[in-house]
Amino acid sequence: NAGVTQTPKFQVLKTGQSMTLQCAQDMNHEYMSWYRQDPGMGLRLIHYSVGAGITDQGEVPNGYNVSRSTTEDFPLRLLSAAPSQTSVYFCASSLDSTETQYFGPGTRLLVL
Amino acid sequence: GENVEQHPSTLSVQEGDSAVIKCTYSDSASNYFPWYKQELGKGPQLIIDIRSNVGEKKDQRIAVTLNKTAKHFSLHITETQPEDSAVYFCAASITGNQFYFGTGTSLTVIP
């Protein structure tokens, strides 16, 4: 099993550009989520999904969109990048919200 | 929503000493409390977890205690080693809902 994979590892964007952060898991997990990690702020939930076709907002959803068309994939879209979205983004998956979450290696995003 | 507070934000201990990190939560419906370790440049990794029907759980040098009445839970690391140096996060969740994370504790074990 590859576990949770994320691409790209690092990305530089200009303000206003859009991009998609990819996340995939091969553990047949129903629950997937996206977090951003900023210094001193811990991990903040952006969006999560409890299964294919179902998504919900987390603590900091503004400026981000998600979709869950398959169990395996959970892409995160930045519609119009802003410097405030400079962060490290982690995708995670688990069987459900009360089971072990497995995190991907992260994507470092810099918005200029 | 749930609010998870974590203390201290930084902790330095001598090798061989114990380290304790404490978290409080606000929603009495929370029923799952994991602890994660994050090493530099990597994603968080689960080290131990506890559910609301259990008061204490131990795995070798790591233990977690839960006080549902006071709504707090703690991570205990005994006989600390330099490789225990990392950032530790607590979290709380409710069945079918989202995870809420604490702000992290940077642990340094001094050889």
Side-chain angles (χ1 to χ4, degrees):
Chain A
N1 284 354
V4 180
T5 57
Q6 290 183 240
T7 55
K9 285 187 169 55
F10 182 70
Q11 183 72 47
V12 180
L13 289 178
K14 293 181 180 178
T15 297
Q17 287 185 316
S18 63
M19 79 160 294
T20 299
L21 279 64
Q22 301 292 344
C23 174
Q25 52 91 9
D26 61 358
M27 297 174 281
N28 203 32
H29 286 168
E30 292 293 331
Y31 188 95
M32 294 186 75
S33 51
W34 276 102
Y35 297 89
R36 60 177 289 172
Q37 185 173 34
D38 303 294
M41 303 288 285
L43 290 153
R44 293 185 292 168
L45 184 67
I46 305 170
H47 287 284
Y48 67 103
S49 168
V50 298
I54 306 169
T55 62
D56 206 347
Q57 295 181 351
E59 183 184 355
V60 288
N62 291 343
Y64 307 95
N65 271 0
V66 291
S67 59
R68 184 94 181 272
S69 56
T70 67
T71 299
E72 295 78 20
D73 301 296
F74 191 44
L76 177 72
R77 297 182 187 86
L78 279 69
L79 308 172
S80 177
S84 60
Q85 293 179 304
T86 292
S87 188
V88 180
Y89 291 84
F90 288 100
C91 178
S93 76
S94 59
L95 285 171
D96 62 41
S97 65
T98 57
E99 297 293 339
T100 302
Q101 273 199 116
Y102 295 88
F103 283 80
T107 294
R108 287 187 176 275
L109 177 66
L110 175 62
V111 183
L112 301 174
Chain B
E2 174 65 280
N3 181 42
V4 177
E5 295 189 357
Q6 183 172 346
H7 299 281
S9 56
T10 60
L11 179 61
S12 291
V13 299
Q14 290 291 136
E15 182 177 357
D17 287 350
S18 295
V20 180
I21 303 170
K22 298 181 180 181
C23 288
T24 61
Y25 61 100
S26 60
D27 193 335
S28 57
S30 290
N31 57 359
Y32 177 61
F33 306 92
W35 284 91
Y36 292 86
K37 176 182 181 182
Q38 185 177 27
E39 297 176 337
L40 199 61
K42 297 184 178 179
Q45 186 171 17
L46 181 81
I47 55 171
I48 196 167
D49 57 11
I50 193 167
R51 300 182 189 278
S52 57
N53 59 347
V54 176
E56 184 173 357
K57 185 176 178 181
K58 192 173 181 180
D59 182 4
Q60 298 183 334
R61 297 186 296 108
I62 295 172
V64 57
T65 58
L66 171 65
N67 183 326
K68 286 188 294 183
T69 303
K71 294 206 276 285
H72 68 71
F73 56 113
S74 300
L75 177 71
H76 304 254
I77 306 173
T78 59
E79 300 171 23
T80 53
Q81 301 166 2
E83 51 266 38
D84 293 329
S85 295
V87 179
Y88 292 81
F89 291 96
C90 64
S93 76
I94 305 168
T95 303
N97 210 307
Q98 56 185 285
F99 286 84
Y100 295 86
F101 281 80
T103 50
T105 296
S106 178
L107 173 65
T108 302
V109 180
I110 305 164

